[in-house]
Amino acid sequence: MFAIVLAAVSGLVWGAGDFSGGKATQRLPALASVALSKLAALPVLAVYLVLVPGTPTLASLGWGALGGLFGGAALVLFYRALSGGAMAIVAPVSAVTAALVPLVIGLIIEAVPGPLALIGAGCAIVAIGLVSLAPHGEGPESDKKESDTKKPVVATRKLVVFALLAGTGFGLFFVFLNRAGDAAGGHGGLWPVLGAQLGALVLCGSLVVRLRGSFSRPRGSTIVWVIIAGVFDMTANALYLVAVRDGLLSIVAPISSLYPVSTVILAMLIDRERMRPVQIAGLGLAATALVLVAS
């Protein structure tokens, strides 16, 4: 039960971090937003490492770094896919894929959970897809003038492939962080999260050098959004790591993947976006999933 609660909280925190990252990316390139948010989280992570003591191992740091590489690459691909404007396709495809990958791998490498928990995990995946649905044409380009937003948005094969790759990367991040926790033997504290942060930073730094990116320094509220995104994302990683140590990957990962719930709610409260009936149905199904997996 404790693992399920932590998984649900990690999903909510991840969603809040995604919302903040989206606000930052409105003023910064996606790559810069990801890299700066990872850097901003390091001082807070240092505090977490002191508060949750543990002994780092080469294996746990390595698995964490591998997860960070896949997670960082997935985030860049996800933003690249969203830039095409077909959010109604990209968001649910990537989110559902991110939940399916660890579910399938968890069923293969771990014990099969009880029928109610398995049904609950399935409900969570369906809920993720429903909550992630956005009106056609809504996305990063939605702030253009009205005449532009009325143009039909086409979900090309390339965008769908990017969404699938991003979802797979997120799913493998769940799997590798779980493996990092196993490698630490339950005594590694939050050191695998440090490995994940460093892995993502190495990837982003390499891409910046390769692409010879030159980014302007963030100012004002953009700095705040970047810091919030980084701290929330890293905190959710830590909560997920603790949750998956005590629970099954096939259950914890789909529950943690309910991050679109808080993203949609924050968009409604802060940006005054309207919640569609299908998203409300998704919220109800998400609550049902939590009840089933906790029973």
Side-chain angles (χ1 to χ4, degrees):
M1 178 64 179
F2 181 64
I4 299 304
V5 172
L6 283 180
V9 173
S10 72
L12 294 175
V13 176
W14 254 318
D18 285 348
F19 177 81
S20 302
K23 301 293 284 187
T25 308
Q26 291 176 357
R27 300 175 178 86
L28 284 175
L31 183 56
S33 179
V34 173
L36 291 175
S37 67
K38 296 293 182 184
L39 280 173
L42 290 178
V44 179
L45 176 56
V47 176
Y48 287 178
L49 291 173
V50 173
L51 294 177
V52 184
T55 304
T57 65
L58 187 60
S60 64
L61 289 173
W63 283 111
L66 186 59
L69 286 173
F70 276 93
L75 198 56
V76 173
L77 281 172
F78 181 63
Y79 281 124
R80 174 63 183 84
L82 285 180
S83 68
M87 186 176 178
I89 301 297
V90 171
V93 166
S94 60
V96 169
T97 305
L100 278 173
V101 169
L103 172 64
V104 172
I105 294 178
L107 290 176
I108 294 173
I109 67 176
E110 295 178 337
V112 178
L116 284 181
L118 197 55
I119 292 173
C123 288
I125 292 174
V126 176
I128 291 165
L130 294 178
V131 173
S132 301
L133 286 173
H136 289 282
E138 182 179 316
E141 305 297 321
S142 60
D143 57 346
K144 290 185 177 180
K145 58 185 180 179
E146 186 178 354
S147 60
D148 289 339
T149 60
K150 287 183 179 180
K151 295 180 180 179
V153 176
V154 179
T156 64
R157 181 180 301 179
K158 183 178 180 180
L159 287 180
V160 173
V161 170
F162 276 178
L164 287 170
L165 289 174
T168 302
F170 288 136
L172 290 175
F173 169 79
F174 285 128
V175 174
F176 289 134
L177 204 59
N178 170 66
R179 187 67 184 88
D182 291 342
H187 304 289
L190 300 179
W191 288 98
V193 178
L194 175 62
Q197 293 289 109
L198 295 179
L201 279 172
V202 168
L203 174 70
C204 291
S206 300
L207 290 175
V208 169
V209 172
R210 182 177 179 83
L211 299 175
R212 298 179 182 179
S214 178
F215 309 121
S216 60
R217 181 181 302 177
R219 301 179 183 278
S221 62
T222 305
I223 298 176
V224 177
W225 286 121
V226 166
I227 294 174
I228 293 175
V231 172
F232 275 41
D233 177 74
M234 181 272 300
T235 301
N237 292 350
L239 290 170
Y240 169 78
L241 178 64
V242 177
V244 82
R245 280 174 180 165
D246 296 329
L248 293 174
L249 174 66
S250 57
I251 299 300
V252 171
I255 296 302
S256 296
S257 297
L258 286 168
Y259 52 82
V261 169
S262 53
T263 303
V264 168
I265 291 175
L266 285 172
M268 180 183 65
L269 295 176
I270 297 177
D271 292 340
R272 304 299 181 185
E273 292 185 7
R274 293 183 180 181
M275 188 175 294
R276 305 173 69 201
V278 67
Q279 292 176 305
I280 296 175
L283 293 178
L285 192 57
T288 302
L290 290 174
V291 172
L292 288 173
V293 298
S295 60

